[in-house]
Amino acid sequence: KTPQKLENFVMFTTGSTSVGQLKYDWDFIQAEIKAQLPVAHTCFFSCEMPIYDSQDMFDRKIDQALSAITGFQFG
């Protein structure tokens, strides 16, 4: 919920620090297991976003996905 976190989310989902006017596909899927994280396909501008039981679980999984990123401009 900070500008840096938003930039990291945009980088996670697009591979870039800005979205411009690109068309992005979101697939909301039923999480097969509670530990399932969102999966971004930056080459295809798409993301598979599991549907979680609560906003709190969603926030934790997004944080976990963003913290697991290596490369790009993540530190």
Side-chain angles (χ1 to χ4, degrees):
K1 299 178 183 173
T2 66
Q4 184 61 53
K5 190 171 182 178
L6 179 58
E7 185 176 308
N8 289 351
F9 180 76
V10 171
M11 177 65 81
F12 170 75
T13 56
T14 68
S16 176
T17 56
S18 64
V19 292
Q21 293 190 15
L22 60 90
K23 181 182 179 306
Y24 202 84
D25 291 320
W26 293 91
D27 293 319
F28 295 95
I29 59 172
Q30 194 63 39
E32 295 178 22
I33 55 174
K34 298 288 183 194
Q36 188 170 347
L37 296 175
V39 176
H41 304 284
T42 57
C43 291
F44 302 107
F45 301 114
S46 67
C47 185
E48 297 167 12
M49 183 67 68
I51 299 169
Y52 298 109
D53 294 338
S54 67
Q55 181 68 44
D56 183 59
M57 170 130 355
F58 172 83
D59 292 342
R60 286 184 287 157
K61 295 303 178 184
I62 289 293
D63 287 344
Q64 188 178 357
L66 294 180
S67 69
I69 297 295
T70 56
F72 293 109
Q73 296 174 0
F74 289 84

